[in-house]
Amino acid sequence: MKSKLNLGLLLVAFVCVLACGPKKENNETETADTTAVSNEPKEFGEADGKKVSLYTLKNSHGVEAHITNYGGIITSLMVPDKTGKLEDVVLGYDNLADYQKDSPYFGALIGRYGNRIAKGKFTLDGEEYTLAVNNGVNTLHGGKKGFDKVVWDAEKITTDEGEGLKLNYVSPDMEEGYPGELKVEVTYVLTDDNSLKIDYTATTDKKTIVNLTNHSYFNLTGGVKGDILGHEVMINADKFVPIDSTLIPEGQLESVDGTPFDFREPTAIGARIGEDNQQLTYGGGYDHCWVLNADGEGMTKAASVYEPKSGRLMEIFTTEPGLQFYSGNFLDGSLTGKGGVAYKYRWGIALETEHYPDSPNQPDFPSVELNPGETYHTSTTYKFSTK
Ligand code: BGC
């Protein structure tokens, strides 16, 4: 009895220390708790009956990437300007419902096939496959429900280079019309030199095609303060892929020499986007794939983007042969994103590292076929600094 009483008193005293202790100590406790909690994944809703979470990757400079396992979407990316001010440099939404309702692939992982496949058809070993047509007469970015709209298994990881998020998705045989069960793994790692590295791997149990990318829309002003026409772009490419009026490659690769597609020297996006040029008309601005000057195996510097007011510089390195540069020509102010900002005409750019559009139907383009026993592996790094 006595010992029970003592225990009770002890409990009351303990609760009192927690509840009535000095204010400072309380605050310290709260701060510590908040920090601990903010590293945990946050609930972000539900899709396909599965829990969706929001993960935070941080580095020692305060850079943060927020990524959800719905579509593997990078929802925000906080990087410093030349004064050290951390601001968000990607377009996106505050909540899952908006991503589910209407998103032009903001921040998402794209698969099985990033970019367009003409009329949603391709042939493998004599067999014709038909995909859903979701962009005029063509298939775009995986079809009706691509990898941007599925819930991935997610695991927060710690690597030698920094915090990461490992995402896995198994795409069943014939999902969206693509043959083979495709096992996909995508890893995001935020390093201490302010790089976000993305690694993509995939294996199949039947011959198939695959072309994975990320579809972040960047605006380096920070907090998306206006259009991207003053952003200076460099693309390490002597050639680009000309397209027809449905944005499907004509087959040949053309020199950028003397065209508004020559970005070998950093040039403001707005400098030539209004020129009277049939390719620009077809794309509604820039919406083309550049043939990167790759020097063989390994990572190549694909492009850089510099925003003079903030001083932010983004460099892109990749193992991929192509870069789709899309200047946000279909944004029209009808989508309201994070913090109530309406995303207007050309307020964001996508720079998608990938194989060329419609490669399955273009015998002269690098192959996108994957066979059982092979592993698809590509890497892309977005590196941020200031100047
Ligand atoms: C395509 C654009 C398309 C955009 C959003 C880009 O990758 O090239 O034509 O409008 O994605 O879907």
Side-chain angles (χ1 to χ4, degrees), residues 138-215:
N138 303 316
T139 299
L140 176 67
H141 296 332
K144 291 213 162 115
K145 187 173 177 183
F147 292 176
D148 58 299
K149 295 181 186 68
V150 301
V151 180
W152 296 64
D153 289 333
E155 187 195 341
K156 187 93 186 277
I157 54 170
T158 307
T159 73
D160 292 347
E161 293 181 296
E163 293 185 353
L165 185 69
K166 191 162 86 177
L167 295 166
N168 284 90
Y169 178 65
V170 179
S171 173
D173 184 24
M174 294 313 286
E175 185 178 41
E176 291 292 316
Y178 295 93
E181 181 187 81
L182 193 75
K183 292 190 172 135
V184 191
E185 184 166 299
V186 178
T187 308
Y188 288 104
V189 174
L190 180 65
T191 70
D192 241 8
D193 72 348
N194 296 354
S195 293
L196 185 64
K197 298 176 100 175
I198 317 178
D199 248 67
Y200 306 82
T201 58
T203 53
T204 185
D205 63 358
K206 222 193 254 179
K207 188 174 189 140
T208 191
I209 57 165
V210 60
N211 188 28
L212 307 177
T213 190
N214 175 278
H215 206 297

Side-chain angles (χ1 to χ4, degrees), residues 50-51 146 186 316 358:
K50 292 180 200 152
K51 212 177 104 194
V186 178
I316 304 174
D358 200 30

Side-chain angles (χ1 to χ4, degrees), residues 104-105 115-116 140-141 215 217 247 287 324 326 330 350 352:
Y105 307 95
N115 220 310
R116 292 176 173 79
L140 176 67
H141 296 332
H215 206 297
Y217 286 67
L247 311 196
D287 196 352
Q324 180 83 11
Y326 165 59
F330 298 115
E352 306 145 52

Side-chain angles (χ1 to χ4, degrees), residues 62-292:
V63 170
E64 283 186 19
H66 296 180
I67 302 166
T68 169
N69 60 324
Y70 176 79
I73 294 170
I74 301 170
T75 60
S76 69
L77 191 54
M78 306 293 291
V79 303
D81 70 2
K82 60 186 168 196
T83 71
K85 189 174 174 197
L86 292 164
E87 285 174 307
D88 196 357
V89 294
V90 293
L91 277 58
Y93 293 122
D94 284 319
N95 58 70
L96 180 64
D98 284 344
Y99 282 107
Q100 289 172 301
K101 197 170 92 202
D102 190 5
S103 172
Y105 307 95
F106 287 142
L109 293 177
I110 305 294
R112 295 190 188 190
Y113 196 90
N115 220 310
R116 292 176 173 79
I117 295 180
K119 303 198 169 63
K121 288 196 186 300
F122 66 97
T123 304
L124 276 182
D125 288 344
E127 191 165 336
E128 189 180 71
Y129 293 94
T130 303
L131 311 167
V133 160
N134 63 338
N135 185 255
V137 295
N138 303 316
T139 299
L140 176 67
H141 296 332
K144 291 213 162 115
K145 187 173 177 183
F147 292 176
D148 58 299
K149 295 181 186 68
V150 301
V151 180
W152 296 64
D153 289 333
E155 187 195 341
K156 187 93 186 277
I157 54 170
T158 307
T159 73
D160 292 347
E161 293 181 296
E163 293 185 353
L165 185 69
K166 191 162 86 177
L167 295 166
N168 284 90
Y169 178 65
V170 179
S171 173
D173 184 24
M174 294 313 286
E175 185 178 41
E176 291 292 316
Y178 295 93
E181 181 187 81
L182 193 75
K183 292 190 172 135
V184 191
E185 184 166 299
V186 178
T187 308
Y188 288 104
V189 174
L190 180 65
T191 70
D192 241 8
D193 72 348
N194 296 354
S195 293
L196 185 64
K197 298 176 100 175
I198 317 178
D199 248 67
Y200 306 82
T201 58
T203 53
T204 185
D205 63 358
K206 222 193 254 179
K207 188 174 189 140
T208 191
I209 57 165
V210 60
N211 188 28
L212 307 177
T213 190
N214 175 278
H215 206 297
S216 287
Y217 286 67
F218 297 96
N219 183 317
L220 301 186
T221 57
V224 192
K225 296 189 188 77
D227 68 44
I228 46 72
L229 297 175
H231 285 47
E232 292 165 15
V233 167
M234 186 286 293
I235 304 177
N236 178 20
D238 295 335
K239 291 181 185 159
F240 77 109
V241 184
I243 46 174
D244 68 16
S245 62
T246 74
L247 311 196
I248 291 292
E250 295 166 336
Q252 80 286 16
L253 308 177
E254 249 168 55
S255 166
V256 296
D257 246 346
T259 77
F261 297 89
D262 189 350
F263 280 99
R264 288 173 293 188
E265 292 298 321
T267 310
I269 296 172
R272 298 162 305 180
I273 202 167
E275 275 183 20
D276 184 15
N277 173 292
Q278 192 183 49
Q279 283 294 312
L280 283 176
T281 313
Y282 286 163
Y286 295 109
D287 196 352
H288 298 76
C289 187
W290 272 254
V291 177
L292 296 172

